[in-house]
Amino acid sequence: MKKILSIALVIISMTSYGQKFAVTPNGLKNAENNEKSYVVIEIEGMTAKQLFDNAVKYVNKNYKNPEEVIKGKTDGEYLKFDTYVPELLFIKNGGIKQFFSAKYTTKISFKDGKVKYEIIGLEMNHVENNMTLYFTGGGLDWMIYNKKGALKRPEAKTDIENYFNSEIDKIIESLQGKTEEDSW
């Protein structure tokens, strides 16, 4: 009986937490609805205050200087924090790996039983020079999609999606109150 309940919980959690991001010519969008630049994560049985507290714990645990990265918060309503990723991805150019870093702000809004998770202000820059990686465009800088919307860098698209969707998975665990310390 315990195994059946565990399997049912896994299946429910997989369908409930299936919200993911996709890289589009218009930026990072909800994979299920490209009109939305956010995902909604449902966490049954938790109040907005509990979810907020768990998100603050996540930032405190995972950031070297949490007081510096938190850019705004209202207890139980929203949390906004900055992230820097020194090597988000690389693009091969003439056999040479060109590394790109990322800076972005995460904004999380809370309601009882759910959170709105959004990435705002995403900038991806070449590690060694001032070149920028854009979702779409042309000219001298790098782009994932060309001006006509055709995918030019599928590896970059996949790397960005994998990174941000992995971040969603991490925040879901934290919002649920699950931590590695629980298993000691």
Side-chain angles (χ1 to χ4, degrees):
M1 182 66 167
K2 198 173 189 181
K3 282 185 181 181
I4 293 172
L5 181 59
S6 295
I7 291 169
L9 288 174
V10 168
I11 291 169
I12 290 169
S13 69
M14 287 170 55
T15 58
S16 299
Y17 310 127
Q19 293 287 346
K20 300 289 180 190
F21 282 120
V23 171
T24 72
N26 296 318
L28 201 57
K29 300 291 184 176
N30 184 313
E32 294 176 6
N33 181 349
N34 286 350
E35 298 297 314
K36 296 179 181 178
S37 61
Y38 60 87
V39 296
V40 175
I41 303 164
E42 295 188 21
I43 312 267
E44 295 294 322
M46 298 190 79
T47 67
K49 174 73 170 116
Q50 289 171 315
L51 293 167
F52 172 83
D53 289 344
N54 287 344
V56 171
K57 286 178 191 175
Y58 170 82
V59 173
N60 286 332
K61 179 182 171 197
N62 291 291
Y63 288 80
K64 187 176 181 179
N65 296 310
E67 61 282 345
E68 291 179 19
V69 300
I70 293 177
K71 299 301 175 187
K73 64 181 179 178
T74 299
D75 199 32
E77 292 182 26
Y78 90 98
L79 176 66
K80 190 166 34 168
F81 57 94
D82 288 342
T83 301
Y84 174 73
V85 183
E87 291 182 352
L88 174 68
L89 61 96
F90 69 86
I91 296 172
K92 286 186 182 178
N93 185 28
I96 299 171
K97 291 182 180 179
Q98 304 288 326
F99 287 93
F100 287 83
S101 64
K103 290 188 284 187
Y104 63 92
T105 301
T106 303
K107 182 179 179 187
I108 308 175
S109 303
F110 304 91
K111 290 186 179 183
D112 290 347
K114 62 184 176 180
V115 298
K116 178 181 170 185
Y117 184 87
E118 185 172 15
I119 303 299
I120 54 178
L122 173 60
E123 295 177 15
M124 298 172 287
N125 296 304
H126 192 279
V127 172
E128 296 176 6
N129 61 42
N130 288 333
M131 301 296 278
T132 300
L133 177 63
Y134 292 104
F135 288 102
T136 197
L140 299 175
D141 288 317
W142 300 73
M143 79 284 304
I144 299 169
Y145 290 89
N146 68 15
K147 289 179 184 178
K148 295 180 181 179
L151 182 61
K152 303 238 345 147
R153 303 196 187 283
E155 299 87 8
K157 177 185 185 311
T158 300
D159 289 346
I160 294 166
E161 289 173 349
N162 288 343
Y163 172 80
F164 283 104
N165 291 331
S166 143
E167 292 300 299
I168 290 173
D169 293 340
K170 290 176 192 173
I171 197 75
I172 287 171
E173 284 187 17
S174 292
L175 291 171
Q176 293 172 328
K178 296 178 182 176
T179 63
E180 292 175 11
E181 290 83 34
D182 290 343
S183 61
W184 58 273

